Amino acid sequence: MANGLTYQRTTTTPEATKQLAATLAPYLHAGDTIVLTGDLGAGKTQFVQGVAAALGVRAAVTSPTFNILLEYHDGRLPLYHYDLYRLDERWQLEDIDYYSAIDGDGDGAAFVEWAEKFPEDMPYDYLEIAITADGDGARRIVAHSFGSRSRQLLCVWANDSKSRLGKCQL
């Protein structure tokens, strides 16, 4: 994780996780890619729900596990929510138009769960949100930037007093 910024925060409820995610939404631009990592049930989809609500998405945001991709076009900018968990081969990424969403030239923000399954197909520039849940329901959310745009995004998000992100060393 060298050469990037890292910030973290712990949330204690699903609502607090969504509220934290909502503080990211005002800073998102078309072409941004957010990679979400964490175990099943860690809160990745809750994070996307918080961003979507803050973007003005009116539709119910659900996990795209079986659909692979869910698109939301009724917010401030389009939101593309990918879940690569059920994919097994790199060629399947072509079928879901993955590369055009993460190349930085897309018309919306792409949120990708389980992208680490295909490390050679990670975008060049992305913000990684790693979510770890403990037994009591608390979630440690660690945000790390990879690339110049994600570094800029993380800087402005961390400087938003509502995010209450703290800088950390990993």
Side-chain angles (χ1 to χ4, degrees):
M1 286 200 182
N3 298 324
L5 296 176
T6 304
Y7 285 83
Q8 70 175 351
R9 178 169 159 206
T10 299
T11 60
T12 56
T13 66
E15 190 56 41
T17 299
K18 291 177 188 177
Q19 288 172 353
L20 171 61
T23 65
L24 174 62
Y27 308 111
L28 289 172
H29 295 173
D32 286 340
T33 300
I34 313 301
V35 170
L36 299 150
T37 65
D39 291 336
L40 288 169
K44 298 180 296 293
T45 297
Q46 290 172 349
F47 193 91
V48 177
Q49 289 169 340
V51 169
L55 287 174
V57 172
R58 294 182 301 276
V61 174
T62 60
S63 176
T65 301
F66 294 101
N67 299 75
I68 312 298
L69 168 63
L70 293 174
E71 299 180 28
Y72 304 93
H73 293 276
D74 59 340
R76 178 178 65 79
L77 78 155
L79 188 149
Y80 300 96
H81 187 190
Y82 289 87
D83 186 326
L84 307 183
Y85 183 76
R86 295 173 49 88
L87 299 184
D88 297 315
E89 302 292 335
R90 292 180 68 200
W91 62 265
Q92 293 172 303
L93 297 171
E94 288 285 342
D95 291 343
I96 59 171
D97 208 21
Y98 173 75
Y99 300 107
S100 66
I102 65 154
D103 68 2
D105 294 328
D107 65 343
F111 285 77
V112 185
E113 298 185 32
W114 302 99
E116 68 273 17
K117 285 186 67 176
F118 302 98
E120 61 277 6
D121 296 293
M122 295 287 275
Y124 172 74
D125 192 325
Y126 63 97
L127 180 65
E128 179 183 69
I129 306 290
I131 304 175
T132 308
D134 70 12
D136 296 327
R139 285 164 171 75
R140 181 173 184 241
I141 299 163
V142 177
H144 185 79
S145 62
F146 292 87
S148 59
R149 168 59 193 149
S150 64
R151 183 182 182 90
Q152 176 189 33
L153 177 59
L154 183 52
C155 280
V156 295
W157 183 34
N159 285 319
D160 183 326
S161 62
K162 292 176 279 192
S163 76
R164 298 191 322 269
L165 289 168
K167 197 165 190 175
C168 69
Q169 302 293 328
L170 294 182

